[in-house]
mmCIF file of all heavy atoms in Angstrom:
data_model
loop_
_atom_site.group_PDB
_atom_site.id
_atom_site.type_symbol
_atom_site.label_atom_id
_atom_site.label_comp_id
_atom_site.label_asym_id
_atom_site.label_seq_id
_atom_site.Cartn_x
_atom_site.Cartn_y
_atom_site.Cartn_z
ATOM 1 N N GLY A 17 -29.283 2.332 2.225
ATOM 2 C CA GLY A 17 -30.115 2.867 1.152
ATOM 3 C C GLY A 17 -29.234 3.141 -0.050
ATOM 4 O O GLY A 17 -28.253 2.421 -0.296
ATOM 5 N N VAL A 18 -29.546 4.200 -0.780
ATOM 6 C CA VAL A 18 -28.781 4.534 -1.986
ATOM 7 C C VAL A 18 -27.287 4.650 -1.652
ATOM 8 O O VAL A 18 -26.424 4.075 -2.326
ATOM 9 C CB VAL A 18 -29.295 5.878 -2.561
ATOM 10 C CG1 VAL A 18 -28.440 6.331 -3.724
ATOM 11 C CG2 VAL A 18 -30.745 5.747 -2.986
ATOM 12 N N ILE A 19 -26.997 5.373 -0.571
ATOM 13 C CA ILE A 19 -25.595 5.665 -0.258
ATOM 14 C C ILE A 19 -24.917 4.526 0.501
ATOM 15 O O ILE A 19 -23.818 4.092 0.163
ATOM 16 C CB ILE A 19 -25.514 6.994 0.534
ATOM 17 C CG1 ILE A 19 -25.952 8.148 -0.361
ATOM 18 C CG2 ILE A 19 -24.121 7.248 1.093
ATOM 19 C CD1 ILE A 19 -25.159 8.300 -1.648
ATOM 20 N N ASP A 38 -29.256 -2.370 8.822
ATOM 21 C CA ASP A 38 -30.324 -1.520 8.292
ATOM 22 C C ASP A 38 -31.631 -2.234 8.606
ATOM 23 O O ASP A 38 -31.785 -3.411 8.261
ATOM 24 C CB ASP A 38 -30.159 -1.338 6.766
ATOM 25 C CG ASP A 38 -31.135 -0.306 6.200
ATOM 26 O OD1 ASP A 38 -32.337 -0.372 6.534
ATOM 27 O OD2 ASP A 38 -30.697 0.559 5.418
ATOM 28 N N SER A 91 -24.901 5.979 7.161
ATOM 29 C CA SER A 91 -25.621 6.519 6.001
ATOM 30 C C SER A 91 -27.119 6.377 6.206
ATOM 31 O O SER A 91 -27.844 5.850 5.354
ATOM 32 C CB SER A 91 -25.198 5.802 4.710
ATOM 33 O OG SER A 91 -23.796 5.736 4.592
ATOM 34 N N ALA A 92 -27.579 6.795 7.370
ATOM 35 C CA ALA A 92 -29.013 6.749 7.690
ATOM 36 C C ALA A 92 -29.669 8.024 7.145
ATOM 37 O O ALA A 92 -28.975 8.938 6.686
ATOM 38 C CB ALA A 92 -29.178 6.623 9.197
ATOM 39 N N GLU A 94 -31.269 11.642 6.407
ATOM 40 C CA GLU A 94 -30.683 12.954 6.751
ATOM 41 C C GLU A 94 -31.565 13.689 7.776
ATOM 42 O O GLU A 94 -32.162 14.726 7.456
ATOM 43 C CB GLU A 94 -30.527 13.760 5.445
ATOM 44 C CG GLU A 94 -29.788 15.077 5.562
ATOM 45 C CD GLU A 94 -28.273 14.948 5.641
ATOM 46 O OE1 GLU A 94 -27.775 13.849 5.942
ATOM 47 O OE2 GLU A 94 -27.589 15.950 5.392
ATOM 48 N N LYS A 99 -29.684 10.734 13.362
ATOM 49 C CA LYS A 99 -28.238 10.501 13.182
ATOM 50 C C LYS A 99 -27.513 10.649 14.518
ATOM 51 O O LYS A 99 -26.615 9.873 14.842
ATOM 52 C CB LYS A 99 -27.650 11.495 12.170
ATOM 53 C CG LYS A 99 -27.917 11.114 10.712
ATOM 54 C CD LYS A 99 -27.099 12.011 9.813
ATOM 55 C CE LYS A 99 -27.385 11.815 8.335
ATOM 56 N NZ LYS A 99 -26.977 10.533 7.783
ATOM 57 N N SER A 119 -22.101 10.022 6.450
ATOM 58 C CA SER A 119 -22.261 10.415 5.041
ATOM 59 C C SER A 119 -23.100 11.668 4.886
ATOM 60 O O SER A 119 -23.454 12.029 3.755
ATOM 61 C CB SER A 119 -22.937 9.293 4.243
ATOM 62 O OG SER A 119 -22.197 8.115 4.284
ATOM 63 N N SER A 121 -25.096 14.906 4.100
ATOM 64 C CA SER A 121 -24.889 15.798 2.952
ATOM 65 C C SER A 121 -24.574 17.219 3.380
ATOM 66 O O SER A 121 -24.129 18.026 2.568
ATOM 67 C CB SER A 121 -26.141 15.825 2.082
ATOM 68 O OG SER A 121 -26.390 14.557 1.563
ATOM 69 N N PRO A 143 -19.900 11.306 0.557
ATOM 70 C CA PRO A 143 -19.603 10.757 -0.772
ATOM 71 C C PRO A 143 -20.599 11.272 -1.797
ATOM 72 O O PRO A 143 -21.473 12.071 -1.479
ATOM 73 C CB PRO A 143 -19.823 9.270 -0.544
ATOM 74 C CG PRO A 143 -21.027 9.256 0.374
ATOM 75 C CD PRO A 143 -20.914 10.488 1.259
HETATM 76 N N1 NAD B 501 -28.699 10.226 -2.066
HETATM 77 C C1 NAD B 501 -27.649 10.977 -2.300
HETATM 78 O O1 NAD B 501 -27.378 11.401 -3.433
HETATM 79 C C2 NAD B 501 -26.684 11.313 -1.185
HETATM 80 C C3 NAD B 501 -25.394 11.729 -1.519
HETATM 81 C C4 NAD B 501 -24.465 11.951 -0.500
HETATM 82 C C5 NAD B 501 -24.837 11.788 0.825
HETATM 83 N N2 NAD B 501 -26.111 11.420 1.125
HETATM 84 C C6 NAD B 501 -26.428 11.238 2.537
HETATM 85 O O2 NAD B 501 -26.371 9.852 2.846
HETATM 86 C C7 NAD B 501 -27.318 9.548 3.869
HETATM 87 C C8 NAD B 501 -28.239 8.447 3.382
HETATM 88 O O3 NAD B 501 -28.923 8.917 2.238
HETATM 89 P P1 NAD B 501 -29.622 7.926 1.214
HETATM 90 O O4 NAD B 501 -29.857 8.715 -0.015
HETATM 91 O O5 NAD B 501 -28.867 6.650 1.130
HETATM 92 O O6 NAD B 501 -30.999 7.666 1.942
HETATM 93 P P2 NAD B 501 -31.955 6.386 1.803
HETATM 94 O O7 NAD B 501 -33.290 6.832 2.282
HETATM 95 O O8 NAD B 501 -31.839 5.811 0.429
HETATM 96 O O9 NAD B 501 -31.340 5.329 2.827
HETATM 97 C C9 NAD B 501 -31.385 5.463 4.216
HETATM 98 C C10 NAD B 501 -31.332 4.057 4.811
HETATM 99 O O10 NAD B 501 -31.185 4.167 6.219
HETATM 100 C C11 NAD B 501 -31.957 3.150 6.810
HETATM 101 N N3 NAD B 501 -32.206 3.485 8.203
HETATM 102 C C12 NAD B 501 -33.235 4.163 8.749
HETATM 103 N N4 NAD B 501 -33.064 4.232 10.094
HETATM 104 C C13 NAD B 501 -31.918 3.589 10.387
HETATM 105 C C14 NAD B 501 -31.220 3.298 11.593
HETATM 106 N N5 NAD B 501 -31.674 3.730 12.779
HETATM 107 N N6 NAD B 501 -30.074 2.591 11.535
HETATM 108 C C15 NAD B 501 -29.581 2.173 10.350
HETATM 109 N N7 NAD B 501 -30.208 2.402 9.174
HETATM 110 C C16 NAD B 501 -31.360 3.106 9.200
HETATM 111 C C17 NAD B 501 -33.208 3.088 5.950
HETATM 112 O O11 NAD B 501 -33.880 1.843 6.107
HETATM 113 C C18 NAD B 501 -32.614 3.266 4.553
HETATM 114 O O12 NAD B 501 -32.295 2.019 3.958
HETATM 115 C C19 NAD B 501 -28.003 10.851 4.207
HETATM 116 O O13 NAD B 501 -27.348 11.436 5.277
HETATM 117 C C20 NAD B 501 -27.817 11.681 2.951
HETATM 118 O O14 NAD B 501 -27.838 13.055 3.187
HETATM 119 C C21 NAD B 501 -27.034 11.150 0.161
#
Side-chain angles (χ1 to χ4, degrees):
V18 174
I19 294 303
D38 188 313
S91 311
E94 187 78 342
K99 281 190 186 293
S119 300
S121 297

